[in-house]
Amino acid sequence: MKKDCKEDISEEKLISKALSGDKASLELLITRNQDWIYNVALTFVGDADEAADLTQEVLIKVITKLDTFEQRSSFRTWMYRILKNHFLNMKRGRHEVNPPSFEQFGEGLDQLPDESLSNYTYEVEEKLLVNEAKISCMKGMLLCLDREQRLIYIIGELFEFPDSVGSEIMEMSKQNFRVKLHRAKKQLYNFMDHKCGLINKSNPCRCHRKTAGFIKMGYVDPKALHFQKDVLAKINDVVGSKVDTYSNEVLSEYQKLYQEHPFLQSPDKLASIRRLLSTESIKETFNL
């Protein structure tokens, strides 16, 4: 019996079929890419609900602009350029209204009391709560970078896009992309080296001692673990061919910590996308 080869269809063919009125091809194109958009969004804003909304907004833009894709770059590069323009120019989310500096973020961690989780009763395993606090804290650190730095870090370090692709997405020279990526990493990793106990064991900050405080402040919800549900893989499992960027093993430890974060399945917004595909303007654009 022949295997279903839908997943083997190139994105160029899916686009051609979609623009010819094939709704199934358009939906497959969306489902192939929505998890990638969602995970970039989640790391960019640090909030699952906001990331889900951003994913939908970007997908709508991708759909409505699909007829402008000229295949001068890969589809994913073109899609990420749309994502970049949307993310850098969108209204500030709730965690970006008053973004902290690294100094302020560090002071906040220092002021958070050290407490044992054994003093409280939760329905969730302690190790899951501690892991949620760790991921939440690390994503919070990224918010100390400005938007451009944050996005460059996500695509250049976390997902290991080479500078040839990263520069095309960010619409800057390869040299400029490398310089800005280096600056972002230097700021982030210098902070971690001085504060984070995951990197430097002599640092006072320990995830298990801060988790109760994170729960009290609302950064960790024991009833809804945003960073550990619908896990598809770890980020380092979905990253493509590795780029041997560093010879310094210490630097690679920082990268490894971020790449061990879960790569999550995006919430099912396909129903909303399907409703969009039923609107008259989209039907006319794609001859659906």
Side-chain angles (χ1 to χ4, degrees):
M1 187 167 69
K2 283 191 179 179
K3 228 174 134 181
D4 186 354
C5 297
K6 278 187 180 179
E7 292 301 321
D8 296 328
I9 300 175
S10 70
E11 292 189 327
E12 288 72 19
K13 285 185 179 178
L14 285 178
I15 293 166
S16 177
K17 288 165 73 85
L19 291 173
S20 298
D22 187 339
K23 191 173 180 179
S25 293
L26 188 56
E27 287 186 3
L28 180 55
L29 190 67
I30 293 166
T31 55
R32 268 192 194 179
N33 291 286
Q34 64 181 357
D35 290 336
W36 284 91
I37 296 172
Y38 176 70
N39 281 274
V40 173
L42 183 60
T43 306
F44 189 78
V45 298
D47 182 90
D49 293 331
E50 191 177 344
D53 290 338
L54 286 175
T55 300
Q56 188 175 16
E57 290 165 12
V58 170
L59 284 172
I60 288 171
K61 284 190 173 182
V62 168
I63 291 168
T64 55
K65 294 176 182 289
L66 194 59
D67 60 342
T68 68
F69 176 56
E70 298 178 345
Q71 300 189 26
R72 294 179 181 174
S73 62
S74 73
F75 173 73
R76 186 156 287 175
T77 299
W78 177 82
M79 180 184 69
Y80 274 118
R81 197 179 301 130
I82 291 176
L83 178 151
K84 180 265 296 185
N85 289 329
H86 186 75
F87 282 15
L88 296 190
N89 295 298
M90 68 186 185
K91 183 180 177 182
R92 292 192 176 276
R94 68 189 186 94
H95 294 303
E96 287 189 303
V97 175
N98 293 301
S101 64
F102 280 109
E103 183 179 2
Q104 291 168 330
F105 191 85
E107 288 173 356
L109 288 176
D110 292 341
Q111 292 167 10
L112 205 63
D114 290 346
E115 294 186 73
S116 172
L117 278 173
S118 60
N119 296 332
Y120 303 90
T121 302
Y122 300 108
E123 294 180 4
V124 182
E125 288 182 57
E126 182 175 315
K127 66 178 181 179
L128 291 176
L129 291 173
V130 173
N131 197 45
E132 188 81 0
K134 179 186 79 172
I135 297 172
S136 178
C137 183
M138 292 180 68
K139 291 195 185 299
M141 292 178 198
L142 290 177
L143 292 173
C144 299
L145 298 170
D146 66 40
R147 281 184 169 182
E148 185 184 67
Q149 285 180 311
R150 206 182 320 150
L151 190 54
I152 287 174
Y153 176 85
I154 292 168
I155 63 177
E157 176 82 333
L158 196 57
F159 289 106
E160 293 189 356
F161 283 36
D163 57 8
S164 57
V165 176
S167 61
E168 193 172 353
I169 292 170
M170 298 304 297
E171 299 180 278
M172 60 180 62
S173 70
K174 287 190 286 187
Q175 181 181 3
N176 201 14
F177 180 83
R178 289 194 300 269
V179 167
K180 292 192 175 191
L181 177 58
H182 174 75
R183 287 175 182 166
K185 289 188 297 184
K186 185 176 180 181
Q187 287 184 50
L188 178 62
Y189 296 160
N190 277 348
F191 173 79
M192 293 178 72
D193 195 49
H194 288 91
K195 286 290 180 184
C196 182
L198 296 170
I199 288 294
N200 187 340
K201 302 304 179 186
S202 65
N203 285 329
C205 187
R206 292 289 183 276
C207 301
H208 66 276
R209 295 204 299 253
K210 300 295 184 182
T211 299
F214 271 66
I215 292 172
K216 289 178 182 178
M217 295 183 69
Y219 295 130
V220 172
D221 183 352
K223 296 181 180 179
L225 301 182
H226 292 300
F227 301 120
Q228 296 179 89
K229 62 181 181 180
D230 301 321
V231 176
L232 297 175
K234 289 184 179 180
I235 288 175
N236 55 18
D237 293 328
V238 299
V239 171
S241 57
K242 300 290 181 182
V243 180
D244 187 15
T245 313
Y246 308 115
S247 56
N248 187 326
E249 292 182 1
V250 177
L251 277 181
S252 68
E253 286 301 305
Y254 301 102
Q255 181 188 30
K256 181 181 175 184
L257 274 174
Y258 272 98
Q259 288 192 331
E260 286 178 343
H261 288 189
F263 185 87
L264 304 177
Q265 181 176 4
S266 63
D268 188 10
K269 295 282 186 176
L270 194 56
S272 300
I273 297 293
R274 283 175 177 149
R275 284 197 295 272
L276 173 74
L277 298 182
S278 299
T279 62
E280 289 303 318
S281 60
I282 296 298
K283 282 181 177 180
E284 289 175 10
T285 301
F286 292 95
N287 299 312
L288 299 177

